[in-house]
Amino acid sequence: MAFSYNFIIFLIVSLSSISFMLTSVKGDLIDDVCSKALKKKICLSTLRANPRSKGANLEGLATISIDLSQKNAKSVRDLVNTLLKQAKDPKLKSRYVSCLENYNDAINNLGELPGYLKSKDYGSLNIHASAASDDPSTCDDNFSGPPAEPPQLKAASDNLQGIIGIILVISNLLKG
């Protein structure tokens, strides 16, 4: 009888340990993803701030990141539109028109992502997320010379690229 009692205690302790390890691994998923991101701080703050992230798996985190990137891209496009309307300098106007095209392209690419995620086409998810990430970067490149890129546009662009970077990391992890 003592043997079976000790075995049961061992089994309970073992299962408790395994359960604890699985819980702690799941709790570290955001850290694992963000450790691979180019913009780690944006990744961590974005995912930690979203209540849907708690307990989410990789596909759940991808869905959250896609939703946020789509909203952010539209917000940045609205900012560019506002800057364009306020611009007096023809050079700036031209840059903003180019940026509007870039952000429209980003929005189109991001619009494709939910379908690729749902169909588990992680390669296409990665390709279109990468293309969407290039669009804000291309806008930023328009400001390599004077006049300078407005700080609010640069910050919004960096944030969007950081969020899209989360999708890139997750798509690579899902591709295995």
Side-chain angles (χ1 to χ4, degrees):
M1 190 71 166
F3 172 73
S4 63
Y5 179 73
N6 287 338
F7 178 74
I8 291 172
I9 297 224
F10 172 77
L11 191 60
I12 291 171
V13 170
S14 296
L15 290 175
S16 296
S17 297
I18 291 170
S19 174
F20 175 75
M21 286 174 19
L22 290 176
T23 303
S24 65
V25 168
K26 189 172 187 180
D28 292 337
L29 186 58
I30 291 172
D31 288 336
D32 292 345
V33 167
C34 293
S35 72
K36 295 169 180 60
L38 290 177
K39 299 182 185 234
K40 292 169 183 40
K41 287 182 182 177
I42 291 173
C43 180
L44 286 168
S45 65
T46 299
L47 292 179
R48 295 256 184 249
N50 193 296
R52 296 184 299 162
S53 294
K54 186 175 180 168
N57 62 12
L58 281 174
E59 288 189 354
L61 294 177
T63 299
I64 293 164
S65 301
I66 291 167
D67 291 348
L68 293 173
S69 66
Q70 289 173 325
K71 289 175 186 161
N72 266 288
K74 290 173 183 172
S75 175
V76 180
R77 181 189 58 193
D78 292 346
L79 172 62
V80 172
N81 236 338
T82 299
L83 293 168
L84 174 61
K85 290 175 185 171
Q86 296 171 351
K88 305 286 186 242
D89 183 337
K91 191 180 250 185
L92 269 179
K93 284 185 178 189
S94 173
R95 290 177 182 175
Y96 292 141
V97 167
S98 178
C99 286
L100 275 177
E101 291 175 19
N102 297 136
Y103 282 100
N104 282 328
D105 289 345
I107 291 165
N108 289 335
N109 278 307
L110 293 169
E112 301 287 328
L113 301 185
Y116 293 128
L117 181 63
K118 185 176 181 180
S119 67
K120 300 188 184 306
D121 184 353
Y122 304 128
S124 295
L125 178 71
N126 186 277
I127 290 167
H128 285 268
S130 180
S133 183
D134 287 344
D135 294 316
S137 178
T138 302
C139 172
D140 295 340
D141 292 345
N142 287 328
F143 294 93
S144 59
E149 182 173 15
Q152 70 269 31
L153 178 56
K154 180 64 178 148
S157 172
D158 286 346
N159 191 56
L160 177 58
Q161 290 175 59
I163 296 170
I164 296 171
I166 300 167
I167 302 165
L168 290 169
V169 168
I170 293 171
S171 65
N172 283 324
L173 290 170
L174 288 169
K175 283 192 310 186

